[in-house]
Amino acid sequence: MSGPILSLDEVSSGYGAATVLHGVSLSLRAGEIVAVLGKNGMGKTTLLKTIMGFVKAAAGSVLLDGAPITGRSPHAIVRQGVAYAPQDYTIFQDLTVEENLRLGVLADDIYRGRVDMLGDVFPRMLERLKQRAGTLSGGEQKMLLMSRAIIARPRIMLVDEISEGLQPTMIERMAEVLRRTRSEHGTAVLLVEQHLSFALSVADRYAVLKLGEIVDEGVAAEGAAKVAEHLKV
């Protein structure tokens, strides 16, 4: 079996003097979906921001295809095929939906070839192309975040709490989109979530993050009871 496309080796990071992640080791193989689960404040978002280079690793290494990317800029990491759908609504509110999507694919011919395909998964995005992104509903803004990541055809997607605040029907839609992106394009996904049933329904493996440390890992289809115990208040 080939090695992981993305791996973290004893990574510690945080903000100033505050260490949030403590020696985290984690791997993601090509075409695999791994769910990182945990309650608020456990370091899940910091984990993704450290991979993307927004937060500097104080120790350990982040490896892409076995080569270290620790210390590289977010733009350099994106160019290596990593897309990030963050928890906060980091869309350009004053730009149109189409202008936001074009940030993921700048070449006109490639953009035109891919934007129509979004209609299969998020038809509402095609209806809103000329609409200012800041006027979209919360659920539609989540769709735009995912669409912007998908249209780039990344090798890896880092997805942060995409189900938060969504209605059950939209959560199921997000699950279908993740499955389809993996099956059609071989995209590997690192999915940070609190929504247990959603995450385990799409993931191959899971890891539980508690106070900045991985405390449990396993096969998603077999992990519901164990993870639920970890997530108890």
Side-chain angles (χ1 to χ4, degrees), residues 3-233:
I5 187 173
L6 176 72
S7 59
L8 284 76
D9 182 16
E10 294 292 322
V11 170
S12 296
S13 68
Y15 307 90
T19 301
V20 177
L21 298 182
H22 304 274
V24 170
S25 294
L26 190 67
S27 66
L28 177 71
R29 296 185 181 276
E32 184 180 40
I33 300 178
V34 173
V36 179
L37 304 163
K39 295 185 290 187
N40 277 335
M42 295 296 108
K44 302 188 305 299
T45 294
T46 300
L47 175 69
L48 297 188
K49 288 184 174 181
T50 302
I51 294 170
M52 284 302 302
F54 290 112
V55 174
K56 184 178 179 180
S61 299
V62 180
L63 306 173
L64 184 62
D65 296 321
I69 59 171
T70 319
R72 293 188 183 178
S73 70
H75 292 298
I77 293 169
V78 167
R79 285 196 295 270
Q80 289 188 259
V82 184
Y84 180 33
Q87 180 181 17
D88 47 359
Y89 292 98
T90 53
I91 59 174
F92 291 91
Q93 303 278 329
D94 292 329
L95 298 182
T96 66
V97 167
E98 183 168 36
E99 289 167 336
N100 272 273
L101 290 174
R102 280 185 174 272
L103 296 173
V105 180
L106 297 178
D108 284 345
D109 56 340
I110 297 175
Y111 171 78
R112 287 193 297 270
R114 293 180 184 176
V115 70
D116 288 341
M117 297 180 66
L118 284 178
D120 293 337
V121 291
F122 291 131
R124 204 174 304 174
M125 287 296 95
L126 297 190
E127 299 169 6
R128 304 282 196 271
L129 286 177
K130 303 304 180 184
Q131 185 172 330
R132 191 166 60 85
T135 65
L136 298 175
S137 69
E140 289 170 339
Q141 290 190 31
K142 288 286 184 90
M143 287 186 220
L144 179 54
L145 283 171
M146 284 290 286
S147 296
R148 192 171 64 188
I150 290 168
I151 202 171
R153 292 279 175 84
R155 295 188 299 147
I156 300 170
M157 282 177 56
L158 309 180
V159 182
D160 193 355
E161 301 280 11
I162 199 65
S163 72
E164 185 179 34
L166 296 182
Q167 297 294 323
T169 54
M170 182 51 63
I171 291 173
E172 181 52 38
R173 166 60 64 177
M174 288 295 183
E176 291 173 10
V177 168
L178 289 172
R179 295 185 192 106
R180 182 167 178 173
T181 301
R182 185 258 291 275
S183 65
E184 293 185 358
H185 306 301
T187 305
V189 180
L190 192 61
L191 176 66
V192 156
E193 266 296 334
Q194 288 189 76
H195 194 301
L196 180 57
S197 60
F198 161 65
L200 295 181
S201 74
V202 298
D204 301 295
R205 294 188 294 116
Y206 73 87
V208 177
L209 193 62
K210 184 178 291 187
L211 296 177
E213 298 182 1
I214 300 292
V215 296
D216 187 29
E217 296 182 77
V219 177
E222 302 169 358
K226 289 179 67 180
V227 176
E229 188 66 27
H230 282 298
L231 299 186
K232 281 184 178 179
V233 176

